[in-house]
Amino acid sequence: MLFNSFAYLLVYLPLGLAGFFWLGRFGETWALTWLLLASLVFYAWWNPFYVLLLLASIGVNFGFGRAIQRTAGLPRGALLTTGIGLNLLVLGYYKYAGFLLGLAGLHVDVAGVVLPLGISFFTFTQISYLIDCSRGVVKQSHPLHYALFVTYFPHLVAGPIIAYPEMIAQFRDRRILTVDWRNMAGGLSLLTVGLSKKVLLADQFATWADPAFSAVSAGTSLTPIEAYAGAIAFMLQIYFDFSAYCDLALGASAMFGVLLPLNFNSPFKAVNMIDFWQRWNMTLTRFLIGYLYRPMTAYLARARASKGKVAGAGDLLRDPLGFLTLIVLPTMATMLIAGLWHGAGVQYLLFGLIFGLFLVINQTWRRLKRAAPRLKAGLADFDSWAGRPLTMVGLLVGFVAFRATSLAGFASMLSSMIDLDGLRLAPSWITRLGVLAGPLSVLSFAEARPFQVRLVELAGLAAGVAIVWLAPNPYQLMRGHPLHLGVPVQPWRAPFGLPGSVAWTPVRAWAAVIAVLGVAALLAMGGHVVQFVYFRF
């Protein structure tokens, strides 16, 4: 079931809320059992058969968690390794079997293997649970709470990736059993904003991005204007698409009185790549750092220390080998795994490799600034005016790799984008620019092409960039009544030094704004429902 469908918005969610709060009058177990069953129905809507796989995964991981909690020493480590290995084996079979066999040169028909919806998310969620059990963070667990922790429908299919401790405290809090009308109003507002982003923005940008990448996949070479328009359109599509999903997930959960961790915080306002990954898919970043990057770095540091070398990364200039071992290696390994987590394909490996390189460059730059204190002020000035534009250029390259269906498609798109000669306005362009009749006029090329850029699209791209750079996100508007877990968001500052602040409150004016957005989104939906990009992972 999709968050942007009439079945979900007008039937499933209202019935889920009504049943939860009505049964809440009879106790926590009744309400949570209803929520568990509703979550299983939500998943079964896609494919009832795979509910069995989900339940089997829950049962096996809960059993391993219990066993890990009751053991210590080497047996605990063996149980953890076996549990993680089983999770990765299932994930590998369903998601990577065909890809890995193809790389090995084996031609095996895996067409019948259907990728279970959300398997990457519920696999990582349960791996984090097992690791927390081994670390002593989770000392006991209840089967109902654990099953709901995994299947809770707002996060089940596309995140956020949650931690057991942050959810179990809320499931045990009896205050969620009664309606909090401020949470209900805020959650409905957040949900409506998310729906409008998906329907009015993300899906529209998709209609501009898809033809460009389809043309490249078919072997057509694009002009620079076409390539940039297609690449920026996809960046805006995935930005608003993922942002919309996060708003819909956190908004629906807040209506039940349960807060999920913040997962999206205006990432295109990032001033460098490290900042970007602290704003984009924040819970995936948290998982990768906490359960992969830091343990890998700690292991490498211990290995260096056992050989009498400095355990820390050291100074970049004085200890380049330490920097390579403790920064470059774990960063690249982590991002390659992050890339593969998104999907089985060379383009996802390339996506991870590109962002790994950008993160290494970012780390190198930071250490160079520390090594040159006399230049620190000048370098800081450079960061202040060049940081965001350079980050956006890097994101453009990375997301082209993400969207391209092959290395050839990526190379073709990138070569079109760096064709500076093609950016010059040809005489035919100059003629057409002089006779534009209105916003729907077409900036056509001299020859008929499978993908063309219109003035309305250029204006739409400019408007989209202005929104992501200048407008506040809904979590900034709701700082007075946050509907998320995690670090508080920074207050929004009006652009260009203009005065003004905007804050959401449950008053009639905001209700009218939200109502207009909701009606516009529902009308735009019609009978056409477009799947979220992250539903594929």
Side-chain angles (χ1 to χ4, degrees):
M1 189 179 298
L2 297 178
F3 284 171
N4 54 328
S5 66
F6 287 121
Y8 172 80
L9 294 168
L10 303 182
V11 179
Y12 175 86
L13 187 57
L15 286 179
L17 287 165
F20 177 77
F21 289 116
W22 182 73
L23 289 171
R25 300 188 303 174
F26 303 102
E28 169 193 322
T29 301
W30 286 96
L32 295 184
T33 301
W34 168 265
L35 196 51
L36 171 61
L37 293 174
S39 297
L40 292 175
V41 169
F42 178 85
Y43 193 79
W45 197 274
W46 166 70
N47 189 327
F49 175 77
Y50 281 98
V51 173
L52 299 176
L53 174 66
L54 178 61
L55 290 175
S57 177
I58 290 170
V60 169
N61 279 284
F62 181 76
F64 269 97
R66 276 284 183 89
I68 290 170
Q69 292 164 6
R70 294 172 180 174
T71 59
L74 290 177
R76 171 177 282 194
L79 286 168
L80 175 64
T81 302
T82 304
I84 293 176
L86 286 175
N87 278 287
L88 295 179
L89 186 64
V90 173
L91 180 63
Y93 170 74
Y94 282 104
K95 192 166 185 175
Y96 303 107
F99 174 66
L100 295 176
L101 290 172
L103 289 180
L106 301 176
H107 302 288
V108 180
D109 185 12
V110 293
V113 179
V114 178
L115 179 65
L117 194 64
I119 188 171
S120 295
F121 289 92
F122 68 70
T123 298
F124 272 29
T125 294
Q126 296 190 98
I127 287 176
S128 72
Y129 167 77
L130 295 180
I131 295 175
D132 285 345
C133 287
S134 72
R135 292 175 175 176
V137 176
V138 179
K139 299 184 178 181
Q140 59 181 356
S141 48
H142 187 278
L144 173 60
H145 293 156
Y146 179 75
L148 183 57
F149 157 71
V150 177
T151 63
Y152 184 46
F153 77 89
H155 89 97
L156 174 60
V157 175
I161 299 172
I162 55 179
Y164 188 79
E166 67 190 3
M167 300 306 296
I168 194 62
Q170 298 186 79
F171 291 153
R172 290 173 175 167
D173 190 344
R174 295 187 62 84
R175 288 177 295 179
I176 69 170
L177 303 180
T178 56
V179 179
D180 182 325
W181 290 106
R182 192 174 177 88
N183 276 353
M184 188 67 72
L188 181 59
S189 298
L190 188 56
L191 182 148
T192 305
V193 170
L195 182 65
S196 63
K197 286 180 187 176
K198 171 61 176 170
V199 177
L200 302 177
L201 295 174
D203 292 350
Q204 180 59 54
F205 287 122
T207 64
W208 302 343
D210 291 345
F213 284 92
S214 296
V216 168
S217 297
T220 301
S221 296
L222 302 182
T223 67
I225 296 295
E226 293 170 327
Y228 277 106
I232 294 172
F234 176 70
M235 281 183 64
L236 293 173
Q237 175 201 348
I238 196 170
Y239 179 98
F240 287 114
D241 192 278
F242 189 39
S243 175
Y245 176 84
C246 294
D247 293 348
L248 285 158
L250 270 66
S253 187
M255 295 170 75
F256 286 93
V258 178
L259 304 186
L260 295 176
L262 186 64
N263 205 30
F264 193 94
N265 186 21
S266 298
F268 284 3
K269 294 180 181 178
V271 296
N272 54 57
M273 281 298 171
I274 295 174
D275 187 26
F276 170 77
W277 282 104
Q278 291 171 341
R279 294 167 173 263
W280 175 276
N281 210 345
M282 298 161 68
T283 56
L284 175 63
T285 300
R286 179 179 68 173
F287 178 93
L288 292 172
I289 291 176
Y291 299 111
L292 187 60
Y293 179 83
R294 285 176 180 165
M296 193 186 310
T297 303
Y299 173 81
L300 293 171
R302 288 194 300 269
R304 282 173 56 84
S306 67
K307 297 178 181 179
K309 298 179 181 179
V310 179
D315 187 283
L316 171 63
L317 301 179
R318 297 178 182 177
D319 187 14
L321 183 59
F323 180 77
L324 177 66
T325 304
L326 299 178
I327 299 297
V328 177
L329 179 59
T331 298
M332 294 303 300
T334 299
M335 291 310 298
L336 285 173
I337 291 173
L340 268 181
W341 175 86
H342 283 86
V346 177
Q347 70 270 34
Y348 297 113
L349 277 174
L350 182 62
F351 170 77
L353 176 64
I354 288 172
F355 276 104
L357 288 172
F358 287 151
L359 287 170
V360 167
I361 292 171
N362 200 166
Q363 292 278 15
T364 304
W365 179 253
R366 284 188 170 187
R367 281 160 175 76
L368 285 175
K369 289 195 295 184
R370 294 175 190 169
R374 294 182 180 180
L375 301 177
K376 187 174 182 179
L379 295 177
D381 289 340
F382 176 81
D383 285 349
S384 65
W385 63 264
R388 184 178 294 180
L390 287 175
T391 301
M392 290 301 294
V393 171
L395 294 178
L396 195 65
V397 174
F399 279 115
V400 166
F402 185 90
R403 178 61 177 81
T405 56
S406 65
L407 290 178
F410 169 73
S412 176
M413 183 69 99
L414 205 61
S415 65
S416 296
M417 292 167 64
I418 61 177
D419 180 13
L420 299 181
D421 288 337
L423 283 173
R424 299 173 182 172
L425 289 178
S428 59
W429 268 77
I430 297 174
T431 302
R432 290 181 177 88
L433 285 172
V435 296
L436 292 178
L440 297 181
S441 299
V442 177
L443 293 179
S444 300
F445 297 91
E447 69 278 13
R449 301 180 59 81
F451 174 64
Q452 295 181 338
V453 182
R454 299 176 302 172
L455 182 60
V456 65
E457 293 167 0
L458 295 178
L461 294 177
V465 171
I467 291 172
V468 300
W469 277 359
L470 305 178
N473 65 50
Y475 308 100
Q476 291 175 312
L477 297 178
M478 294 181 172
R479 287 184 76 249
H481 185 71
L483 298 177
H484 65 271
L485 301 176
V487 295
V489 297
Q490 296 297 316
W492 176 70
R493 295 180 180 178
F496 312 117
L498 297 173
S501 61
V502 183
W504 175 91
T505 53
V507 296
R508 291 179 181 177
W510 272 108
V513 172
I514 296 301
V516 169
L517 279 177
V519 170
L522 290 173
L523 291 175
M525 281 170 58
H528 185 57
V529 178
V530 180
Q531 180 175 287
F532 289 89
V533 173
Y534 266 74
F535 270 40
R536 289 177 253 164
F537 310 136

